[in-house]
């Protein structure tokens, strides 16, 4: 939902101007995020590192020459339904080309995942969490999503770059408490504290979440059975400004979550009469609606940064650590009788590394940027699986499952490395024409070893005022995510009920994806406060990466298509006039793959044979995606401003297996289209001190009381994200039904 300054300002810079922390704003002016095509470097006055800067300064290294950026301002984040309590993914759904999926996943421009998250410009290595989110909206002062053919400074994950400008003790110097909750036992207490003292400033926030909608409902019912989640999050930012040239900062967080896995009632039992720990299990027990599966997701991270600015050179070096783990606990009897395997699984990844970036204004027309990233990671997988042994039947062909399960113990560990180095030059050929060229070299040594040298080019042309064309090319190297590749052997399940579909075929290692990516677009300010843009893209991939759920634990596994092609076009517009803001995005996309070249054991021989000779839709391919929003602010110049905002999300439907004439075609069908609307109402009351210096509640300074009411899925539409079919899809998933939430917060 963009927030704007004066008309046309968004065409010149992508970051807020430098200022010291203001008093609390009279009311958030909800607005869609600034959409900046062909982002140019900010002017020098926005690059100073001072106590009033209010950020790490890493954004001095501009994120997207020739790329396209959508920015969500602090006011926009406050105004979106849910505000600080909204998940980061629900915010990003308001950007063009972002499609939603089950388990809270997002797909940007036809990619499965492949999203890079940064905190003040520092990349956070990936973790193994699936349902939960490590980064919370309440920690963001503002954030941006950059897509397109990215410049050389971005590597590894390139479908989109989400950069969070963290809250800090200068721009966010206040303390507060909030209580938020509502339907389905939702309860979210939170607290924050930001301040500064001398050369130090800090910002701390913590929250807890109790909710009976932990994961998407597998049924169309209003409430899902067995879907409780308990979570807590803590994030902090500490900074020391040694001088106008030097500063140090530490950003750290903890995100732990526990989930019940929702049950799908009335499922047909696959195995009858088993024996569990010496006791016979009745054929009527257990019911699929009474299973008791759980998953825990734990994560911790820390980023320590040192920043220097000396004359024409700026440099930032950061040390990063990220530890994450997933633990799946099955229903020991239920998983056996319904799935043929009850697997206790644990997977963890610990990553440590360094990122360094340097900017050198070598000449008035040349800005040189260079840097490197290097990470070491340790991945550990442990499983204990109860399965039924299989023996040939009397006819020598039909398998017979023995009633007494056996346990297969496995464990593996692997240490790997990921590294990249880049150099690029922003050359201002003449006024209105910028050429950015660079090279990037990447390497991976994990479950596979590979390297690539990747050129990147972009041309930005501004032929007239407030109108801009851009064209970009990028060669990409995308290694498989370390946490989605297991070191355990599927061969251990041979002759058991846990055997994968195709043990007789090959099982090649997952490979890095190599792409040629093209992006081109145009943006125009039509009139004061109204802009429109169109952006097209095309990606040609070799060993295209995808992910799916194979087996009982809900942990994703990577695999490759031999060839891939993704292309699409995005249309956006937004309008701001006084207290009114309107915006809309519409995107058309097509993502296809052909031939499976890794993890083949997870696919049936029939599917492998079909995809060897035919192009198929990727399971997350969605032809049309749209989002829109409107907001209006009342009484903006009073002590009681009131804001109303609404958002919309539309999807034409993800893929499912084919039916009818296309029966047997993997991902050959389409799920029904859907549209949902959310509503947010925010009432602020500013409490001013009396002349005695003692205000309401004894406060000696101005405070803000905020009342919030949010309605998610306003018209209570029941819609399916998944129906349980499709490549790597494990269960049906329905979107959230109407949910009414409210909150009260006090900020000093």
């Amino acid at each position: 939902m963009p927030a704007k300054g004066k008309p046309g300002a968004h065409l010149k810079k992508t970051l807020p101007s430098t200022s010291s922390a203001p008093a609390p704003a009279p009311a958030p002016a909800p607005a869609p995020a600034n959409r900046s095509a062909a982002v140019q470097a900010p002017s020098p006055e926005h690059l100073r590192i001072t106590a009033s800067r209010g950020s790490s300064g890493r954004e001095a290294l501009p994120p997207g020459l020739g790329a396209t950026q959508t920015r969500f301002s602090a006011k926009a984040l406050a105004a979106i339904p849910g505000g600080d309590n909204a998940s980061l993914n629900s915010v990003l759904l308001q950007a063009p080309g972002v499609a939603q999926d089950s388990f809270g996943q997002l797909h940007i421009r036809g990619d499965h995942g492949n999203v890079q998250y940064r905190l003040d410009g520092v990349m956070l290595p990936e973790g193994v969490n699936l349902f939960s989110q490590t980064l919370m909206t309440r920690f963001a002062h503002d954030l941006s999503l950059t897509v397109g053919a990215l410049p050389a400074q971005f590597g590894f994950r390139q479908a989109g770059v989400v950069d969070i400008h963290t809250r800090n003790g200068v721009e966010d110097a206040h303390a507060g408490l909030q209580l938020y909750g509502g339907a389905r036992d939702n309860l979210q207490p939170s607290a924050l504290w930001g301040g500064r003292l001398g050369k130090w400033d800090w910002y701390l926030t913590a929250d807890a979440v109790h909710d009976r909608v932990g994961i998407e409902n597998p049924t169309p019912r209003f409430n899902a059975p067995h879907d409780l989640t308990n979570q807590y999050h803590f994030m902090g930012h500490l900074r020391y400004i040694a001088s106008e040239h030097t500063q140090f900062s530490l950003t750290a967080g903890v995100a732990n979550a526990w989930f019940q896995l929702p049950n799908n009632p009335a499922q047909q039992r696959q195995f009858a009469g088993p024996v569990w720990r010496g006791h016979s299990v009745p054929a009527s027990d257990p019911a699929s609606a009474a299973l008791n599966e759980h998953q825990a997701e734990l994560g911790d991270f820390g980023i320590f940064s040192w920043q220097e600015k000396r004359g024409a050179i700026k440099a930032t070096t950061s040390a990063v650590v990220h530890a994450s783990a997933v633990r799946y606990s099955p229903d020991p009897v239920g998983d056996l009788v319904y799935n043929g395997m009850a697997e206790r699984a644990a997977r963890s990844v610990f990553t440590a590394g360094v990122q360094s970036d340097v900017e050198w204004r070598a000449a008035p027309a040349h800005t040189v940027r260079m840097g490197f990233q290097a990470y070491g990671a340790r991945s550990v997988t442990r499983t204990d699986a109860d399965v039924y042994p299989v023996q040939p039947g009397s006819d020598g062909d039909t398998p017979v499952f023995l009633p007494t399960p056996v346990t297969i113990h496995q464990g593996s560990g692997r240490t790997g490395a990921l590294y990249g180095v880049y150099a690029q030059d922003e050359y201002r050929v003449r006024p209105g024409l910028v050429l950015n060229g660079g090279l990037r070299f990447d390497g991976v040594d994990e479950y596979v070893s590979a390297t690539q040298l990747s050129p990147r080019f972009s041309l930005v042309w501004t032929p007239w005022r407030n109108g801009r064309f851009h064209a970009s090319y990028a060669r990409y190297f995308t290694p498989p995510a370390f946490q989605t590749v297991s070191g355990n052997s599927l061969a251990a399940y041979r002759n058991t009920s846990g055997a994968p579909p195709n043990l007789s075929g090959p099982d090649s290692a997952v490979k890095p994806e190599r792409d040629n990516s093209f992006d081109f677009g145009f943006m125009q300010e039509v009139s004061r406060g109204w802009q429109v843009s169109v952006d097209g893209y095309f990606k040609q991939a070799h060993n295209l990466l995808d992910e799916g759920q194979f087996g009982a634990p809900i942990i994703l596994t990577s695999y490759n298509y031999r060839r891939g092609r993704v292309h699409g076009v995005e249309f956006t517009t937004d309008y701001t006039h006084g207290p009114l803001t309107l915006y809309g995005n519409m995107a058309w996309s097509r993502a296809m793959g052909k031939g499976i070249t890794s993890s083949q054991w997870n696919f049936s021989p029939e599917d492998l044979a079909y995809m060897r000779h035919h192009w198929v839709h990727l399971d997350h391919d969605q032809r049309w995606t749209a989002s829109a929003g409107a907001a209006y602010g009342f009484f903006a110049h009073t002590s009681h401003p009131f804001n109303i905002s609404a958002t919309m999300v539309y999807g034409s439907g993800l893929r499912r297996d084919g039916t009818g004439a296309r029966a047997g075609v993997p991902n050959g069908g389409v799920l029904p289209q859907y549209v949902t609307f959310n509503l947010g109402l925010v009432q602020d009351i500013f409490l001013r001190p009396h002349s005695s210096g003692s205000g309401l509640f004894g406060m000696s300074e101005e405070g803000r009381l905020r009342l919030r009411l949010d309605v998610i899925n306003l018209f209570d539409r029941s819609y399916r994200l998944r129906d349980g079919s499709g490549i790597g899809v494990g269960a049906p998933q329905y979107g959230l039904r109407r949910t009414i939430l409210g909150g009260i917060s006090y900020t000093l």
Side-chain angles (χ1 to χ4, degrees):
M1 311 165 93
K4 298 197 174 158
K6 62 181 181 179
H10 57 282
L11 297 176
K12 299 179 182 178
K13 57 180 182 289
T14 62
L15 302 164
S17 59
T18 302
S19 64
S20 57
N34 282 342
R35 172 104 167 150
S36 300
V39 177
Q40 298 217 34
S43 54
E45 61 268 22
H46 299 303
L47 304 181
R48 292 178 298 170
I49 308 167
T50 67
S52 65
R53 179 66 187 92
S55 70
S56 72
R58 172 81 74 163
E59 56 266 62
L61 303 171
L65 283 166
T68 302
Q69 186 177 82
T70 303
R71 190 177 72 85
F72 297 82
S73 71
K75 291 182 179 180
L77 293 176
I80 194 171
D84 285 352
N85 306 283
S87 69
L88 188 60
N89 281 0
S90 66
V91 174
L92 294 174
L93 279 175
Q94 295 303 307
V98 181
Q100 67 175 330
D101 198 348
S102 56
F103 305 141
Q105 298 177 92
L106 294 180
H107 305 296
I108 299 176
R109 291 192 168 188
D111 263 282
H112 192 132
N114 195 22
V115 180
Q116 180 177 150
Y117 290 89
R118 292 188 166 210
L119 292 170
D120 295 320
V122 183
M123 190 182 90
L124 183 66
E126 294 168 294
V128 293
N129 54 307
L130 177 60
F131 308 140
S132 61
Q133 292 189 313
T134 300
L135 303 176
M136 306 301 293
T137 304
R138 72 177 75 256
F139 196 51
H141 180 84
D142 58 69
L143 65 91
S144 63
L145 171 64
T146 305
V147 298
L150 302 175
Q153 68 200 82
F154 294 106
F156 311 134
R157 301 287 168 255
Q158 293 136 147
V161 178
V162 178
D163 198 347
I164 295 175
H165 170 196
T166 59
R167 290 184 176 180
N168 54 79
V170 177
E171 292 169 304
D172 305 282
H174 48 254
L177 296 172
Q178 179 178 218
L179 185 63
Y180 185 77
R184 302 180 184 83
D185 294 344
N186 185 293
L187 183 62
Q188 299 185 46
S190 61
L192 60 90
W193 179 34
R196 55 180 172 175
L197 181 63
K199 295 184 177 182
W200 294 88
D201 72 86
W202 62 88
Y203 186 88
L204 307 173
T205 181
D207 67 65
V209 177
H210 173 86
D211 194 6
R212 294 197 178 274
V213 188
I215 306 170
E216 286 88 351
N217 195 337
T219 76
R221 299 178 183 178
F222 193 80
N223 294 312
H226 197 260
D227 198 12
L228 176 68
T229 181
N230 287 303
Q231 308 174 28
Y232 69 85
H233 311 90
F234 167 80
M235 291 189 184
H237 179 80
L238 176 66
R239 182 175 51 180
Y240 175 70
I241 301 179
S243 69
E244 62 177 330
H245 305 294
T246 306
Q247 71 173 8
F248 302 92
S249 65
L250 174 65
T251 303
V254 176
N256 293 342
W258 292 264
F259 297 89
Q260 293 179 335
L261 270 61
N263 297 324
N264 195 3
Q267 296 301 296
Q268 183 175 356
R269 183 169 169 164
Q270 301 298 312
F271 298 87
V275 176
W276 173 251
R277 301 193 185 280
H279 300 284
S280 230
V281 178
S284 61
D285 182 36
S288 63
L291 300 185
N292 189 25
E293 301 167 327
H294 297 82
Q295 186 152 307
E297 301 186 352
L298 315 174
D300 310 273
F301 72 88
I303 301 172
F304 178 77
S305 296
W306 168 32
Q307 186 173 355
E308 281 291 321
K309 179 182 182 297
R310 301 283 178 173
I313 298 178
K314 290 180 288 292
T316 307
T317 299
S318 301
V320 183
V321 294
H322 188 197
S324 63
V326 166
R327 299 168 187 165
Y328 171 78
S329 302
D331 185 298
V333 176
D335 278 29
L336 268 171
V337 299
Y338 287 102
N339 301 322
M341 179 169 64
E343 183 179 50
R344 293 164 295 282
R347 187 175 295 184
S348 64
V349 174
F350 176 81
T351 305
V354 62
Q355 174 181 330
S356 184
D357 300 285
V358 177
E359 178 186 291
W360 173 36
R361 296 190 178 274
H366 292 272
T367 301
V368 177
R369 299 178 179 91
M370 61 188 71
F372 70 90
Q373 294 167 275
Y375 305 94
R378 176 69 178 174
S379 175
V380 177
T381 303
R382 293 186 177 90
T383 59
D384 296 289
D386 295 324
V387 294
Y388 297 118
V390 177
Q391 67 180 21
S394 57
D395 59 2
D397 186 24
T398 305
V400 174
F401 295 93
L402 301 182
T404 303
V406 297
T407 302
I408 299 174
H409 303 278
Q410 287 200 89
S412 66
R414 188 71 177 251
T415 301
L418 191 65
Y419 50 92
V421 60
Y422 74 91
Q424 65 188 47
D425 178 24
E426 175 194 341
Y427 173 36
R428 298 181 179 272
V429 182
R430 59 179 179 80
L433 185 64
V434 179
L435 173 66
N436 190 66
L439 285 174
R440 183 179 182 92
F441 179 80
D442 291 303
V444 60
D445 186 10
E446 294 175 338
Y447 289 97
V448 65
S449 295
T451 60
Q452 179 174 292
L453 181 65
S454 305
R456 311 278 180 94
F457 298 99
S458 68
L459 186 67
V460 180
W461 178 39
T462 308
W464 52 76
R465 183 179 180 182
N466 296 339
R468 180 166 296 155
F469 294 88
H470 75 274
S472 308
Y473 164 78
R475 177 72 172 161
Y476 285 154
F477 176 84
T478 306
F482 205 21
Q483 67 274 10
T484 61
V485 183
S486 172
N488 287 352
S489 171
L490 293 177
Y493 296 94
R494 193 181 300 274
N495 298 321
T496 73
S497 56
N502 191 23
L503 268 176
S504 60
D507 187 42
S508 306
V510 182
K511 309 167 186 64
E513 178 180 326
R514 304 174 190 268
D515 304 328
N516 292 305
S517 183
F518 303 86
D519 185 88
F520 44 90
F522 171 71
M523 185 180 69
Q524 177 66 53
E525 179 104 6
V526 179
S527 64
R528 185 179 179 87
W530 178 28
Q531 70 171 14
V532 297
S533 67
V534 59
D535 199 75
Y537 59 91
F538 173 74
K539 182 177 80 171
Q540 183 183 52
H542 177 63
N543 287 325
L544 183 143
L545 280 167
D546 204 348
E547 298 174 1
Q549 180 196 341
F550 302 100
I554 305 184
I555 301 174
L556 297 181
T557 299
S558 290
Y559 60 94
N560 296 101
Y561 288 91
R562 183 178 71 256
R563 297 172 59 193
R565 58 191 185 202
V566 181
H567 57 278
V569 62
E570 298 168 356
F571 306 91
T572 68
T573 184
D574 60 77
Y575 174 76
T576 301
H577 180 72
L580 175 66
T581 294
L582 302 170
Y583 71 94
N585 310 304
M586 179 169 286
W588 179 91
S589 177
R590 178 60 56 86
M592 308 287 288
K594 183 177 182 180
I596 301 296
T597 59
S598 65
S599 304
Q600 295 95 329
W601 282 1
N602 294 305
F603 300 86
S604 69
E606 295 78 15
D607 284 353
L608 284 175
Y610 183 88
M611 290 185 286
R612 187 177 300 118
H613 303 289
H614 298 84
W615 287 91
V616 297
H617 295 269
L618 306 188
D619 69 281
H620 52 271
D621 181 31
Q622 182 165 269
R623 180 169 295 184
W624 289 99
T625 302
S627 60
Y632 196 88
F634 300 87
F635 319 123
H637 302 292
T638 71
S639 62
H640 51 278
F642 175 76
N643 282 265
I644 180 171
S645 63
T647 60
M648 179 276 288
V649 172
Y650 167 83
S652 61
L654 300 173
R655 306 303 299 189
R656 52 160 298 167
D657 283 340
T659 58
R662 294 183 61 79
V665 177
N667 296 337
V670 182
L671 289 166
Q673 63 181 349
Y674 64 89
V675 60
T676 60
F677 296 86
N678 301 329
L679 177 68
L681 307 175
V682 179
Q683 176 67 70
D684 282 338
I685 302 173
F686 287 92
L687 311 171
R688 301 186 182 278
H690 300 296
S691 57
S692 62
S694 177
L696 191 62
F697 307 127
M699 303 304 298
S700 60
E701 298 181 33
E702 178 180 5
R704 182 190 66 198
L705 183 69
R706 171 168 289 175
L707 306 175
R708 173 182 290 278
L709 177 66
D710 301 303
V711 184
I712 310 302
N713 196 352
L714 179 64
F715 301 108
D716 194 26
R717 294 182 178 271
S718 177
Y719 62 99
R720 283 185 295 177
L721 295 170
R722 295 291 191 181
D723 71 350
S725 72
I727 298 173
V729 178
Q733 307 266 289
Y734 284 78
L736 182 66
R737 298 286 296 273
R738 179 164 53 217
T739 301
I740 301 175
L741 302 166
I744 181 171
S745 65
Y746 181 76
T747 303
L748 176 63

